[in-house]
Amino acid sequence: QVQLVESGGGSVQAGGSLRLSCVASGYTSSSYCMGWFRHAPGKEREGVARIAGNGAAIYADSVKGRFTISRDNAKNSLYLQMKQLKFEDTAMYYCAARRETFCSRDTGAYNYWGQGTQVTVSS
């Protein structure tokens, strides 16, 4: 069983930065697709960024140019560097893993999920 634990969330003013981390334990593979999703009150869970086993990264249009996803397979870790944060980035952020090399935008395609870390951006 794979466990994912996120950290790094917090409160920040608009324009600020945060770096989220996700550590995986249990059986994991560097070939797994990993992704960050977020869920804001009153909205559906949405994909923020995902990185395939081959390192290819995909971003939601709303975060392109501001967020960067990366992974350190030696540390079983996934990161999300967030810059120029906006009020609308406020949400619970979740790390997810998929037992496939290539990613999917479908949240149902992910096999493992973390408990989430809250990001709050004040305007």
Side-chain angles (χ1 to χ4, degrees):
Q1 185 71 11
V2 173
Q3 291 185 326
L4 304 174
V5 180
E6 304 97 333
S7 62
S11 297
V12 63
Q13 289 189 330
S17 301
L18 284 174
R19 186 182 190 233
L20 305 184
S21 298
C22 171
V23 179
S25 61
Y27 178 76
T28 58
S29 171
S30 60
S31 66
Y32 285 3
C33 165
M34 302 284 294
W36 288 99
F37 294 78
R38 64 188 181 188
H39 191 189
K43 297 183 179 180
E44 293 186 355
R45 187 174 295 194
E46 63 172 352
V48 176
R50 49 194 187 268
I51 184 166
N54 62 6
I58 300 171
Y59 297 91
D61 288 341
S62 59
V63 306
K64 280 181 182 176
R66 300 188 298 121
F67 290 10
T68 303
I69 189 171
S70 62
R71 65 194 296 170
D72 185 337
N73 293 327
K75 296 182 178 180
N76 286 335
S77 294
L78 179 73
Y79 306 99
L80 185 68
Q81 178 67 55
M82 306 186 293
K83 298 180 180 180
Q84 301 172 35
L85 282 161
K86 303 177 180 180
F87 174 75
E88 50 265 39
D89 294 319
T90 296
M92 183 72 79
Y93 282 70
Y94 297 91
C95 169
R98 180 173 189 244
R99 291 193 304 257
E100 299 286 345
T101 297
F102 296 103
C103 295
S104 170
R105 66 176 63 187
D106 181 7
T107 57
Y110 290 77
N111 305 101
Y112 308 106
W113 291 83
Q115 293 299 307
T117 184
Q118 177 68 37
V119 172
T120 302
V121 184
S122 57
S123 57

